[in-house]
């Protein structure tokens, strides 16, 4: 087992973002997403991919 083995896999996540950043507001927008981390180069996590189907975004 390596230090970052807990990251590898597919995860359901809840993303949060400030509605009005840098305005002093503390209103958050929350939306579901999916995250995946894969291991490469000696089992170290090397890539992470996130998606948010309700927002139509991936990255």
């Amino acid at each position: 087992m390596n230090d970052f083995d807990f990251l590898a896999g597919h995860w359901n996540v809840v993303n949060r973002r400030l509605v009005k950043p840098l305005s002093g507001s503390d209103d958050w927008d929350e939306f579901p997403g999916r995250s995946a981390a894969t291991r490469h180069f000696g089992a170290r996590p090397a890539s992470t991919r996130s998606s948010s189907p309700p927002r139509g975004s991936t990255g």
Side-chain angles (χ1 to χ4, degrees):
M1 177 172 258
N2 293 305
D3 290 342
F4 294 99
D5 280 351
F6 67 91
L7 292 175
H10 297 276
W11 305 93
N12 291 319
V13 297
V14 176
N15 296 294
R16 291 178 15 138
R17 69 175 185 92
L18 279 170
V19 175
K20 296 179 182 176
L22 304 175
S23 68
S25 171
D26 62 353
D27 292 330
W28 290 88
D29 183 21
E30 292 188 357
F31 49 96
R34 190 102 171 108
S35 180
T38 55
R39 293 183 297 206
H40 304 283
F41 311 114
R44 292 186 183 101
S47 67
T48 311
R49 182 167 179 89
S50 299
S51 66
S52 182
R55 299 272 183 204
S57 64
T58 60

